[in-house]
Amino acid sequence: MAPADRTVVVDNIGHLVTNDAARGGGPLGIVTDAAVVVEGERVVWVGPRSALDRVGADERVDAGGGAVVPGFVESHSHLVFAGERAEEFAARMAGRPYAAGGIRTTLAATRAASDAALAGNVTRLSREYLRQGTTTLECKSGYGQTVRDEQRSVRIAHDHADEATLLAAHVLPPEFEGRPDDYVRMVVDEMIPACAPYASWIDVFCERGAFAYDEARAVLEAGRAAGLGVRVHGNQLTQGRGVQLAVEMGAASVDHVCHTDAADVDALASADTVATLLPAADFSTRNQYPDARRLLDAGVTVALGADCNPGTSYTTSMPFCIAVAVRDLHLTPDEALWAATAGGARALRRDDVGVVAVGKRADLAFLDAPSHVHLAYRPGVPLVRRVLRAGRLVAEAEWWEPGAGLPAAAGRGSVR
Ligand code: NIG
Ligand code: FE
């Protein structure tokens, strides 16, 4: 571990996305020919290289003339699980529709798994996220649905992610079949008190085949009373009341929002609730994509997440989600990049990440590309080649040669 006050100069950045609108030129606050100075975990200087005072730096990191963006902020993942559902995916691609009931397959596998196996799965997937540029990670429980299994799930999420969420009402477990009221009572009386010490957030799946409005509301109210922030899975598969519930409860975010009517859009536009779009889930379920343009044009704050889970979205690639958001949801490349960084931070009510500015956590993703537009323009290509999280180099692609993929005019400095 490096000394806390170590100073690192990140130099030779051809195109820096800061998300600091005060820099002018729009919400991305782009600086060309830029440098960033990091001290310990924080950014202490951002600006054009020409204004950089190099005296006193302990280390220089050369960006090779390429683009650097804020580390992605993933505000929606389900990594505490065992097993996988490739067969369900294959059947779906052959025409079988997705239904929430598939979650029970993962429920059984997760209950049977050891703590070590569950923690190992979270470690594996969180490393995948990190290698692809995600430096802030929210992680949900929700594949236990007993007090014991939710408590160990949320504890593992707490130990391995930045934000842990108790997804207490994900699917009605088989032993409560036909008795949702009894399940909700158990969640309120036993599960929330046992799990709240490990969680920052309470979440529910408000959907046909999952939990109804009144059930979801009772769980969220109990979570809020226990000091947890509120988030909702809503309007994923049907035009339900999830968005309405989220706005009424002052939720930080309502996630999926694939089926929205005018009242939903109006409610979100005048609320402090972020609409978190998870297009990889819609891609892998052939679900209807959200009407993202309508949300954005109405002034709704939009975040993008990958929603890694074994059922609907088994990807940890935020760049892939950016590409789908641009191609299929009609976000501009600028909107998609903002939603995957600053938008995710808003959805988690964090102001220390998702932006490159003085005092913020030094989280940077270095791209083997001249601008952030390439994240959508070159889908499926592993463009993230180095990741700095809280000032520390946490991932570096073995194959990367600084500046090799860039036009000849770009610099080819040495690395570290
Ligand atoms: O975010 N919508 C509910 N939860 C997950 C899916 C879980 C599963 O199918 O295992 C989601 O898509
Ligand atoms: Fe989800």
Side-chain angles (χ1 to χ4, degrees):
M1 185 81 160
D5 57 353
R6 184 187 60 133
T7 302
V8 178
V9 174
V10 182
D11 201 358
N12 200 14
I13 305 170
H15 172 104
L16 173 68
V17 174
T18 65
N19 286 337
D20 182 358
R23 293 194 166 271
L28 295 193
I30 292 167
V31 184
T32 52
D33 290 320
V36 176
V37 183
V38 176
E39 199 175 289
E41 297 191 351
R42 303 274 152 184
V43 171
V44 293
W45 190 89
V46 183
R49 307 177 67 197
S50 55
L52 175 67
D53 174 8
R54 285 185 180 74
V55 179
D58 298 316
E59 198 176 319
R60 178 175 176 270
V61 176
D62 190 327
V68 170
V69 301
F72 302 121
V73 179
E74 164 64 303
S75 63
H76 188 133
S77 84
H78 307 248
L79 309 184
V80 193
F81 67 85
E84 46 112 306
R85 282 153 56 197
E87 280 179 22
E88 179 188 312
F89 173 77
R92 197 157 67 231
M93 293 303 105
R96 191 192 300 163
Y98 174 75
I103 299 170
R104 282 188 180 179
T105 311
T106 304
L107 201 71
T110 304
R111 287 176 173 183
S114 67
D115 289 10
L118 295 176
N121 199 52
V122 178
T123 302
R124 173 179 72 88
L125 293 167
S126 60
R127 284 187 183 150
E128 273 187 25
Y129 266 113
L130 197 62
R131 279 200 300 273
Q132 297 171 92
T134 298
T135 47
T136 304
L137 180 65
E138 180 265 16
C139 179
K140 302 176 197 299
S141 67
Y143 289 118
Q145 309 283 270
T146 66
V147 174
R148 168 191 173 266
D149 290 303
E150 285 302 305
Q151 190 187 46
R152 67 191 186 120
S153 296
V154 84
R155 183 168 39 74
I156 289 166
H158 173 268
D159 290 347
H160 292 86
D162 297 81
E163 304 269 338
T165 298
L166 173 62
L167 178 48
H170 193 193
V171 69
L172 190 65
E175 63 275 17
F176 281 90
E177 187 70 54
R179 300 188 294 125
D181 292 350
D182 290 349
Y183 181 72
V184 169
R185 193 166 314 117
M186 188 271 285
V187 167
V188 169
D189 293 347
E190 299 170 49
M191 189 186 286
I192 290 175
C195 297
Y198 303 102
S200 322
W201 302 97
I202 183 87
D203 195 349
V204 294
F205 187 15
C206 182
E207 185 59 68
R208 183 189 300 161
F211 290 88
Y213 173 93
D214 290 338
E215 297 157 0
R217 185 170 183 116
V219 170
L220 293 179
E221 280 176 352
R224 190 166 64 180
L228 305 179
V230 172
R231 30 201 343 104
V232 175
H233 281 70
N235 301 48
Q236 178 183 7
L237 307 174
T238 55
Q239 173 65 57
R241 296 171 71 191
V243 168
Q244 184 191 331
L245 173 63
V247 171
E248 285 168 8
M249 299 282 302
S253 180
V254 57
D255 300 31
H256 290 286
V257 293
C258 303
H259 298 261
T260 44
D261 63 13
D264 292 327
V265 176
D266 288 351
L268 284 168
S270 50
D272 207 16
T273 301
V274 172
T276 298
L277 312 183
L278 308 168
D282 310 318
F283 178 93
S284 289
T285 53
R286 295 213 177 101
N287 188 33
Q288 172 178 314
Y289 283 121
D291 192 346
R293 274 278 39 106
R294 190 175 178 201
L295 293 165
L296 285 160
D297 295 345
V300 176
T301 302
V302 166
L304 261 185
D307 187 16
C308 180
N309 76 78
T312 60
S313 183
Y314 204 3
T315 181
T316 47
S317 174
M318 294 291 274
F320 171 74
C321 298
I322 288 172
V324 177
V326 170
R327 165 63 176 77
D328 290 335
L329 276 63
H330 301 270
L331 272 70
T332 66
D334 286 15
E335 287 170 336
L337 195 275
W338 191 93
T341 51
R346 294 268 183 97
L348 293 172
R349 300 221 162 131
R350 297 273 299 248
D351 62 8
D352 59 329
V353 295
V355 56
V356 182
V358 172
K360 307 301 183 188
R361 203 168 77 185
D363 293 353
L364 303 172
F366 294 62
L367 307 184
D368 195 18
S371 81
H372 66 281
V373 178
H374 282 231
L375 290 165
Y377 173 47
R378 306 197 65 211
V381 179
L383 295 179
V384 176
R385 39 105 170 146
R386 177 190 277 158
V387 182
L388 209 68
R389 184 181 179 281
R392 290 207 308 134
L393 182 67
V394 288
E396 186 159 45
E398 293 151 14
W399 46 263
W400 183 64
E401 192 190 325
L406 293 165
R412 272 177 179 259
S414 62
V415 189
R416 288 159 39 85

